[in-house]
Amino acid sequence: MIVTLRTMDAPGRGPEGSLGRGARGCPSRGQGGRWASLLGLVGLLALDATAAQAAPPTPPVPGLRVGNKPIPPGSWVRYSYYHPRKGVLLLRLAALERIGKAQWFELSFTFRQGQTLTMKTLLEGSMGKPKRVLRSIVQPPGQVPLILPQKLAAKQLPKLDSGSPGKVVGRGPLTVPAGRFKATHYRRRRKGKVEEAWLTDAIPGWPLLRYRAGKLRIDLVAHGKGARSAIVGTPVKLDPRFLTPR
């Protein structure tokens, strides 16, 4: 079932530093196709002039990997995600505060235009193997943040790679934009495609340094501590009446 989300054309603010900050409403109709194809990559929200379309259950985000052990609150990483057909995206993952057995995690996508889409999720378990999604907030570029209904939130959570990285083919230092690390080089074949990943133990919870599969290239460009949420403004609870099946 495809669900259509009917929204008000309300002003909003994007994360600090984004070019979309202070933009009003949704992208123009001419921008809708471009945004739909970009956001379809991560299975979140596809925007057109008057509506945001919630996708079916999200497929795995190719190559993106997290650890299955608890991640220290405040830890964050940023990756460049390049494909010739889609250009370059910047992906930021952050582990935020814990609440009992659950923890807030945040995933932000910054596009070539400098606009950022952020999804903040409270879940039990890890990002790689979530046990239960308790709450989810999505802030599209230039809009107010929306609290998603729980069933929809579980479907929209991007599924990250938590399976075996494959066979070890090498070990040694690796230099990426974020620095130089001790790395283990893995290779596997999945769905007829050769995938290569370079992983490290140097950054707890965030093992991925580099990923290659065909023309897809992912590299760690930064990491650190002290992460804060990129969500700006007071989240608004989404009225279920705005969700209509079609």
Side-chain angles (χ1 to χ4, degrees), residues 45 117-120 136-140 144-148 231:
L45 298 175
L117 180 147
T118 300
M119 184 173 189
K120 181 180 180 182
S136 186
I137 302 170
V138 172
Q139 185 165 32
V144 296
L146 298 173
I147 301 174
L148 298 183
I231 297 289

Side-chain angles (χ1 to χ4, degrees), residues 6 84 155 167 182 195 242:
R6 303 186 184 279
K155 291 182 178 180
K167 181 181 179 181
K182 291 182 179 179
E195 300 178 332
F242 290 151

Side-chain angles (χ1 to χ4, degrees), residues 92-175:
R92 174 184 177 266
L93 296 96
L96 304 176
E97 66 271 20
R98 292 196 180 105
I99 300 178
K101 296 181 179 180
Q103 186 171 8
W104 282 103
F105 292 94
E106 196 166 86
L107 184 58
S108 297
F109 303 84
T110 300
F111 307 103
R112 284 182 296 177
Q113 296 82 0
Q115 295 178 307
T116 299
L117 180 147
T118 300
M119 184 173 189
K120 181 180 180 182
T121 305
L122 180 65
L123 57 84
E124 293 179 351
S126 67
M127 288 185 71
K129 293 183 178 180
K131 296 179 180 178
R132 188 161 64 115
V133 176
L134 303 178
R135 195 178 185 204
S136 186
I137 302 170
V138 172
Q139 185 165 32
Q143 295 192 40
V144 296
L146 298 173
I147 301 174
L148 298 183
Q150 188 171 4
K151 290 184 179 179
L152 182 58
K155 291 182 178 180
Q156 297 307 314
L157 180 67
K159 293 177 176 60
L160 307 184
D161 193 342
S162 59
S164 169
K167 181 181 179 181
V168 174
V169 294
R171 289 187 174 88
L174 176 70
T175 300

